[in-house]
Amino acid sequence: MNQPLNYRNTGFITSAPDIRHLPNDIGVEIAFAGRSNAGKSSALNRITDQKSLARTSKTPGRTQLINMFEVVHGCNLIDLPGYGFAQVPLEMKLKWQKSLGEYLQKRKCLEGLVVLMDIRHPLKDLDQQMIMWAIESDLSVLVLLTKADKFKSGARKQQLMKVRETVATFGGDVQVEAFSSLKGIGVEQVRRKLDGWFAPELERQRLFMAEDQAQADNE
């Protein structure tokens, strides 16, 4: 079994307006998607235990590019443009939508999708569309109900169960967890899920290195 990854080592790689400007389509990528006010950047910062890995802003919709972060070689986190809220010109919104759609449909190394939504307003139409698209593409999904600290424990559990029941009707591999960047709720569950997604790539690298070493020893 692989050791848990140290997400504190995560570093920024690049920002790209579309997939043509991203690095080679290899390794494993886990994408984070959500409405522009879902707390996506704050979640990435908390998961990696860094204050400013992903830029946060009081103005929703600041993330306009596809941002790539490397956890370890071959294992990357992707911060996708926020959707559905930003007060921007229609032309720009359509451009973001196009780059988001292209990434989700054409990026072969995409293995999992984290969909973030405010626990107080879950499963809006665009959130459901994102989950359904992932299911149809045989992608595993982790739904994070962010800002979970806004509810007391009982209400939080009730909302979590309600969303889990609804999502279960969609079919597919969808896990739902409560999350709070402020209080650290759900952080370890997310890291474990990411570890599971990255494990096959890390094993592939280990075997490749072992084969290389065996070849060198025989020469």
Side-chain angles (χ1 to χ4, degrees):
M1 183 166 174
N2 287 294
Q3 289 292 317
L5 288 171
N6 184 355
Y7 291 91
R8 294 181 184 86
N9 293 332
T10 303
F12 174 76
I13 299 296
T14 190
S15 290
D18 52 53
I19 61 172
R20 286 170 288 282
H21 292 84
L22 286 173
N24 291 338
D25 195 351
I26 56 175
V28 168
E29 292 177 1
I30 308 302
F32 283 65
R35 295 173 68 84
S36 300
N37 57 344
K40 188 158 47 67
S41 296
S42 296
L44 278 162
N45 288 338
R46 184 67 193 234
I47 291 161
T48 59
D49 202 18
Q50 299 187 41
K51 289 185 178 178
S52 56
L53 180 75
R55 298 196 313 176
T56 58
S57 173
K58 290 181 179 177
T59 306
R62 187 173 174 181
T63 303
Q64 302 173 19
L65 301 169
I66 299 170
N67 295 308
M68 175 181 283
F69 307 96
E70 183 183 72
V71 182
V72 295
H73 176 69
C75 298
N76 300 320
L77 301 178
I78 306 296
D79 184 11
L80 294 172
Y83 56 80
F85 183 87
Q87 300 300 310
V88 296
L90 179 60
E91 184 182 357
M92 187 177 291
K93 195 174 288 190
L94 291 173
K95 185 179 177 184
W96 294 357
Q97 194 174 347
K98 183 183 177 186
S99 68
L100 181 69
E102 272 190 337
Y103 173 81
L104 293 171
Q105 290 167 21
K106 297 180 181 178
R107 194 71 173 169
K108 293 186 177 70
C109 60
L110 177 62
E111 288 291 333
L113 184 66
V114 181
V115 180
L116 300 95
M117 55 189 81
D118 190 320
I119 194 169
R120 298 166 297 181
H121 315 289
L123 296 175
K124 298 285 189 183
D125 286 347
L126 288 171
D127 299 324
Q128 294 192 49
Q129 286 175 31
M130 188 68 70
I131 295 168
M132 293 304 295
W133 174 86
I135 291 170
E136 288 165 8
S137 301
D138 291 323
L139 279 176
S140 179
V141 181
L142 174 61
V143 173
L144 293 185
L145 302 178
T146 63
K147 307 179 186 180
D149 54 281
K150 300 291 185 183
F151 283 170
K152 290 183 178 178
S153 179
R156 185 190 310 145
K157 287 178 183 175
Q158 189 176 15
Q159 184 75 314
L160 178 62
M161 293 307 297
K162 186 177 176 183
V163 174
R164 282 177 174 168
E165 286 171 8
T166 302
V167 167
T169 65
F170 298 172
D173 177 13
V174 186
Q175 179 180 337
V176 185
E177 300 292 345
F179 186 89
S180 168
S181 300
L182 188 64
K183 301 293 186 182
I185 298 166
V187 172
E188 287 308 314
Q189 286 96 320
V190 178
R191 288 175 180 160
R192 283 197 296 272
K193 186 70 171 179
L194 294 174
D195 285 345
W197 272 325
F198 287 136
E201 170 63 16
L202 294 172
E203 179 64 12
R204 186 196 67 78
Q205 290 182 27
R206 188 189 68 78
L207 291 172
F208 182 76
M209 289 173 67
E211 286 173 10
D212 264 9
Q213 186 60 51
Q215 214 169 28
D217 292 342
N218 290 329
E219 288 177 357

